[in-house]
Short mmCIF file of all heavy atoms in Angstrom, two decimals:
data_model
loop_
_atom_site.label_atom_id
_atom_site.label_comp_id
_atom_site.label_asym_id
_atom_site.label_seq_id
_atom_site.Cartn_x
_atom_site.Cartn_y
_atom_site.Cartn_z
N ASP A 1167 99.78 102.91 93.19
CA ASP A 1167 98.82 101.89 92.80
C ASP A 1167 98.09 102.31 91.52
O ASP A 1167 98.55 103.20 90.80
CB ASP A 1167 97.82 101.63 93.93
CG ASP A 1167 97.16 102.91 94.43
OD1 ASP A 1167 97.16 103.92 93.69
OD2 ASP A 1167 96.65 102.91 95.58
N GLU A 1168 96.94 101.69 91.25
CA GLU A 1168 96.22 102.01 90.01
C GLU A 1168 95.69 103.44 89.97
O GLU A 1168 95.36 103.94 88.90
CB GLU A 1168 95.05 101.02 89.83
CG GLU A 1168 95.47 99.66 89.27
CD GLU A 1168 96.20 98.79 90.28
OE1 GLU A 1168 96.21 99.14 91.48
OE2 GLU A 1168 96.77 97.75 89.87
N ASN A 1169 95.63 104.10 91.12
CA ASN A 1169 95.21 105.51 91.15
C ASN A 1169 96.36 106.47 90.92
O ASN A 1169 96.15 107.69 90.85
CB ASN A 1169 94.56 105.84 92.50
CG ASN A 1169 93.27 105.07 92.71
OD1 ASN A 1169 92.46 104.95 91.80
ND2 ASN A 1169 93.07 104.55 93.93
N ALA A 1170 97.58 105.96 90.81
CA ALA A 1170 98.76 106.81 90.73
C ALA A 1170 98.73 107.72 89.51
O ALA A 1170 99.15 108.89 89.56
CB ALA A 1170 100.03 105.96 90.70
N GLN A 1171 98.21 107.22 88.38
CA GLN A 1171 98.19 108.03 87.16
C GLN A 1171 97.29 109.24 87.30
O GLN A 1171 97.47 110.24 86.59
CB GLN A 1171 97.76 107.17 85.97
CG GLN A 1171 98.77 106.09 85.60
CD GLN A 1171 98.35 105.28 84.39
OE1 GLN A 1171 97.50 105.70 83.62
NE2 GLN A 1171 98.97 104.13 84.22
N LEU A 1172 96.31 109.16 88.21
CA LEU A 1172 95.44 110.30 88.48
C LEU A 1172 96.01 111.17 89.59
O LEU A 1172 96.01 112.40 89.50
CB LEU A 1172 94.04 109.82 88.87
CG LEU A 1172 93.25 109.06 87.80
CD1 LEU A 1172 91.94 108.55 88.37
CD2 LEU A 1172 92.99 109.94 86.58
N ASP A 1173 96.49 110.54 90.66
CA ASP A 1173 96.98 111.28 91.82
C ASP A 1173 98.28 112.03 91.52
O ASP A 1173 98.46 113.18 91.97
CB ASP A 1173 97.23 110.33 93.00
CG ASP A 1173 95.93 109.78 93.56
OD1 ASP A 1173 94.88 110.38 93.32
OD2 ASP A 1173 96.00 108.74 94.24
N TYR A 1174 99.17 111.40 90.77
CA TYR A 1174 100.49 112.00 90.53
C TYR A 1174 100.41 113.37 89.87
O TYR A 1174 101.00 114.34 90.38
CB TYR A 1174 101.35 111.04 89.71
CG TYR A 1174 102.69 111.59 89.30
CD1 TYR A 1174 103.72 111.72 90.23
CD2 TYR A 1174 102.93 112.01 87.99
CE1 TYR A 1174 104.95 112.24 89.86
CE2 TYR A 1174 104.15 112.52 87.62
CZ TYR A 1174 105.16 112.63 88.55
OH TYR A 1174 106.38 113.14 88.18
N PRO A 1175 99.68 113.54 88.75
CA PRO A 1175 99.60 114.88 88.16
C PRO A 1175 98.93 115.90 89.08
O PRO A 1175 99.26 117.08 89.05
CB PRO A 1175 98.75 114.66 86.89
CG PRO A 1175 98.85 113.21 86.60
CD PRO A 1175 98.96 112.54 87.95
N THR A 1176 98.01 115.41 89.91
CA THR A 1176 97.28 116.32 90.81
C THR A 1176 98.14 116.80 91.95
O THR A 1176 98.12 117.98 92.32
CB THR A 1176 96.03 115.61 91.38
OG1 THR A 1176 95.20 115.17 90.30
CG2 THR A 1176 95.24 116.54 92.28
N PHE A 1177 98.92 115.89 92.53
CA PHE A 1177 99.62 116.21 93.78
C PHE A 1177 101.13 116.44 93.63
O PHE A 1177 101.77 116.84 94.60
CB PHE A 1177 99.39 115.09 94.80
CG PHE A 1177 97.98 115.01 95.30
CD1 PHE A 1177 97.13 114.00 94.86
CD2 PHE A 1177 97.49 115.95 96.19
CE1 PHE A 1177 95.82 113.92 95.33
CE2 PHE A 1177 96.19 115.89 96.66
CZ PHE A 1177 95.35 114.87 96.22
N LYS A 1178 101.70 116.20 92.43
CA LYS A 1178 103.15 116.31 92.32
C LYS A 1178 103.64 117.73 92.61
O LYS A 1178 104.69 117.92 93.24
CB LYS A 1178 103.66 115.82 90.97
CG LYS A 1178 103.36 116.72 89.79
CD LYS A 1178 104.01 116.21 88.52
CE LYS A 1178 103.74 117.13 87.34
NZ LYS A 1178 104.40 116.65 86.11
N LYS A 1179 102.89 118.74 92.17
CA LYS A 1179 103.32 120.13 92.41
C LYS A 1179 103.27 120.45 93.90
O LYS A 1179 104.19 121.06 94.44
CB LYS A 1179 102.44 121.09 91.63
CG LYS A 1179 102.89 122.55 91.71
CD LYS A 1179 102.06 123.43 90.80
CE LYS A 1179 102.60 124.86 90.77
NZ LYS A 1179 102.53 125.52 92.10
N ILE A 1180 102.19 120.02 94.56
CA ILE A 1180 102.08 120.26 96.00
C ILE A 1180 103.19 119.54 96.75
O ILE A 1180 103.84 120.11 97.64
CB ILE A 1180 100.70 119.79 96.51
CG1 ILE A 1180 99.58 120.59 95.85
CG2 ILE A 1180 100.61 119.89 98.03
CD1 ILE A 1180 98.19 120.05 96.12
N ALA A 1181 103.42 118.28 96.39
CA ALA A 1181 104.47 117.50 97.05
C ALA A 1181 105.84 118.12 96.81
O ALA A 1181 106.67 118.20 97.73
CB ALA A 1181 104.45 116.06 96.54
N ALA A 1182 106.10 118.58 95.58
CA ALA A 1182 107.38 119.21 95.27
C ALA A 1182 107.57 120.50 96.06
O ALA A 1182 108.68 120.81 96.51
CB ALA A 1182 107.48 119.48 93.77
N GLU A 1183 106.50 121.24 96.24
CA GLU A 1183 106.59 122.48 97.02
C GLU A 1183 106.95 122.19 98.47
O GLU A 1183 107.69 122.96 99.11
CB GLU A 1183 105.25 123.23 96.95
CG GLU A 1183 104.99 123.88 95.60
CD GLU A 1183 103.59 124.45 95.48
OE1 GLU A 1183 102.75 124.17 96.39
OE2 GLU A 1183 103.31 125.15 94.49
N ILE A 1184 106.46 121.08 99.00
CA ILE A 1184 106.80 120.70 100.37
C ILE A 1184 108.28 120.38 100.49
O ILE A 1184 108.97 120.87 101.40
CB ILE A 1184 105.94 119.49 100.82
CG1 ILE A 1184 104.48 119.90 100.95
CG2 ILE A 1184 106.46 118.92 102.15
CD1 ILE A 1184 103.54 118.73 101.18
N SER A 1185 108.81 119.57 99.58
CA SER A 1185 110.23 119.21 99.65
C SER A 1185 111.11 120.44 99.44
O SER A 1185 112.15 120.59 100.09
CB SER A 1185 110.57 118.11 98.64
OG SER A 1185 110.50 118.57 97.32
N THR A 1186 110.68 121.34 98.54
CA THR A 1186 111.44 122.57 98.31
C THR A 1186 111.48 123.43 99.56
O THR A 1186 112.54 123.96 99.94
CB THR A 1186 110.82 123.36 97.15
OG1 THR A 1186 110.91 122.59 95.95
CG2 THR A 1186 111.53 124.69 96.96
N ALA A 1187 110.34 123.59 100.20
CA ALA A 1187 110.28 124.41 101.41
C ALA A 1187 111.18 123.87 102.50
O ALA A 1187 111.86 124.64 103.21
CB ALA A 1187 108.84 124.50 101.90
N ILE A 1188 111.22 122.55 102.64
CA ILE A 1188 112.07 121.95 103.68
C ILE A 1188 113.54 122.16 103.37
O ILE A 1188 114.33 122.51 104.26
CB ILE A 1188 111.74 120.45 103.83
CG1 ILE A 1188 110.33 120.27 104.36
CG2 ILE A 1188 112.75 119.77 104.76
CD1 ILE A 1188 109.83 118.85 104.30
N ILE A 1189 113.94 121.97 102.12
CA ILE A 1189 115.36 122.13 101.79
C ILE A 1189 115.79 123.58 101.96
O ILE A 1189 116.90 123.86 102.42
CB ILE A 1189 115.68 121.62 100.36
CG1 ILE A 1189 117.21 121.46 100.18
CG2 ILE A 1189 115.14 122.52 99.29
CD1 ILE A 1189 117.83 120.41 101.02
N VAL A 1190 114.90 124.52 101.67
CA VAL A 1190 115.23 125.93 101.86
C VAL A 1190 115.39 126.24 103.35
O VAL A 1190 116.32 126.96 103.75
CB VAL A 1190 114.17 126.84 101.22
CG1 VAL A 1190 114.37 128.29 101.62
CG2 VAL A 1190 114.21 126.71 99.70
N GLU A 1191 114.50 125.70 104.17
CA GLU A 1191 114.62 125.90 105.62
C GLU A 1191 115.91 125.26 106.15
O GLU A 1191 116.56 125.83 107.04
CB GLU A 1191 113.40 125.30 106.34
CG GLU A 1191 112.13 126.08 106.16
CD GLU A 1191 112.24 127.51 106.65
OE1 GLU A 1191 112.73 127.70 107.79
OE2 GLU A 1191 111.85 128.43 105.92
N TYR A 1192 116.26 124.11 105.60
CA TYR A 1192 117.51 123.48 106.00
C TYR A 1192 118.70 124.38 105.66
O TYR A 1192 119.61 124.56 106.48
CB TYR A 1192 117.66 122.12 105.31
CG TYR A 1192 119.06 121.55 105.42
CD1 TYR A 1192 119.49 120.93 106.57
CD2 TYR A 1192 119.96 121.70 104.36
CE1 TYR A 1192 120.78 120.44 106.68
CE2 TYR A 1192 121.25 121.21 104.45
CZ TYR A 1192 121.66 120.58 105.61
OH TYR A 1192 122.94 120.12 105.70
N ILE A 1193 118.70 124.92 104.46
CA ILE A 1193 119.80 125.79 104.04
C ILE A 1193 119.89 127.01 104.94
O ILE A 1193 120.98 127.43 105.34
CB ILE A 1193 119.63 126.20 102.57
CG1 ILE A 1193 119.81 124.98 101.64
CG2 ILE A 1193 120.62 127.30 102.19
CD1 ILE A 1193 119.44 125.24 100.20
N LYS A 1194 118.75 127.56 105.30
CA LYS A 1194 118.74 128.73 106.18
C LYS A 1194 119.38 128.41 107.53
O LYS A 1194 119.98 129.29 108.16
CB LYS A 1194 117.30 129.21 106.39
CG LYS A 1194 116.69 129.92 105.20
CD LYS A 1194 115.26 130.34 105.52
CE LYS A 1194 114.62 131.06 104.33
NZ LYS A 1194 113.23 131.44 104.61
N SER A 1195 119.23 127.16 107.97
CA SER A 1195 119.78 126.78 109.27
C SER A 1195 121.28 126.52 109.22
O SER A 1195 121.95 126.44 110.26
CB SER A 1195 119.07 125.52 109.79
OG SER A 1195 119.45 124.38 109.05
N GLU A 1196 121.80 126.36 108.01
CA GLU A 1196 123.23 126.11 107.87
C GLU A 1196 124.00 127.43 107.97
O GLU A 1196 123.70 128.38 107.28
CB GLU A 1196 123.52 125.46 106.50
CG GLU A 1196 123.05 124.02 106.39
CD GLU A 1196 123.95 123.08 107.18
OE1 GLU A 1196 125.00 122.71 106.65
OE2 GLU A 1196 123.58 122.74 108.31
N GLN A 1197 125.00 127.43 108.81
CA GLN A 1197 125.79 128.66 109.01
C GLN A 1197 127.13 128.60 108.33
O GLN A 1197 127.91 129.55 108.40
CB GLN A 1197 125.97 128.90 110.52
CG GLN A 1197 124.67 129.06 111.28
CD GLN A 1197 123.85 130.21 110.77
OE1 GLN A 1197 124.37 131.29 110.54
NE2 GLN A 1197 122.55 129.99 110.59
N ASN A 1198 127.43 127.48 107.68
CA ASN A 1198 128.74 127.33 107.07
C ASN A 1198 128.89 128.21 105.85
O ASN A 1198 127.98 128.39 105.07
CB ASN A 1198 128.97 125.88 106.65
CG ASN A 1198 128.98 124.95 107.85
OD1 ASN A 1198 129.40 125.34 108.92
ND2 ASN A 1198 128.47 123.74 107.66
N GLN A 1199 130.04 128.78 105.69
CA GLN A 1199 130.36 129.65 104.56
C GLN A 1199 131.48 129.02 103.76
O GLN A 1199 132.52 128.71 104.29
CB GLN A 1199 130.81 131.02 105.09
CG GLN A 1199 130.92 132.12 104.07
CD GLN A 1199 129.55 132.58 103.59
OE1 GLN A 1199 129.13 132.18 102.54
NE2 GLN A 1199 128.89 133.43 104.36
N TYR A 1200 131.25 128.75 102.49
CA TYR A 1200 132.24 128.13 101.65
C TYR A 1200 132.59 129.06 100.49
O TYR A 1200 131.79 129.90 100.10
CB TYR A 1200 131.73 126.80 101.07
CG TYR A 1200 131.29 125.80 102.09
CD1 TYR A 1200 129.94 125.60 102.33
CD2 TYR A 1200 132.21 125.06 102.81
CE1 TYR A 1200 129.52 124.67 103.28
CE2 TYR A 1200 131.80 124.13 103.75
CZ TYR A 1200 130.45 123.94 103.98
OH TYR A 1200 130.04 123.03 104.92
N SER A 1201 133.76 128.85 99.92
CA SER A 1201 134.07 129.54 98.67
C SER A 1201 133.34 128.85 97.54
O SER A 1201 133.00 127.68 97.63
CB SER A 1201 135.60 129.51 98.41
OG SER A 1201 136.03 128.19 98.31
N LEU A 1202 133.09 129.57 96.45
CA LEU A 1202 132.27 129.03 95.37
C LEU A 1202 132.94 127.85 94.70
O LEU A 1202 132.29 126.88 94.32
CB LEU A 1202 131.98 130.13 94.34
CG LEU A 1202 131.03 129.76 93.21
CD1 LEU A 1202 129.70 129.25 93.75
CD2 LEU A 1202 130.81 130.92 92.28
N PHE A 1203 134.22 127.88 94.52
CA PHE A 1203 134.90 126.76 93.86
C PHE A 1203 136.09 126.32 94.72
O PHE A 1203 136.69 127.11 95.41
CB PHE A 1203 135.39 127.15 92.48
CG PHE A 1203 134.27 127.50 91.55
CD1 PHE A 1203 134.00 128.81 91.19
CD2 PHE A 1203 133.43 126.51 91.05
CE1 PHE A 1203 132.97 129.13 90.36
CE2 PHE A 1203 132.39 126.81 90.21
CZ PHE A 1203 132.15 128.13 89.85
#
C-alpha cells in the first residue's frame, strides 16, 4: 500500500533472512545426493 515505500527498505533484509533460513533448513533435510552435472 502507500506505506510500502517506507516498509520495504526497512523490512526487506529481515524478510529475506527468513526465506533464506527456511531454504537452508529445507536443504539440510534433503538426503538426496546428486552428481554436479
Side-chain angles (χ1 to χ4, degrees):
D1167 53 20
E1168 280 74 11
N1169 295 318
Q1171 293 182 18
L1172 296 175
D1173 291 340
Y1174 175 74
T1176 302
F1177 291 105
K1178 72 175 181 179
K1179 186 174 186 297
I1180 298 171
E1183 287 172 351
I1184 292 171
S1185 69
T1186 297
I1188 294 169
I1189 194 66
V1190 170
E1191 288 301 312
Y1192 166 80
I1193 292 170
K1194 286 180 180 179
S1195 71
E1196 288 286 278
Q1197 300 301 314
N1198 296 327
Q1199 192 71 260
Y1200 303 103
S1201 61
L1202 185 56
F1203 296 106

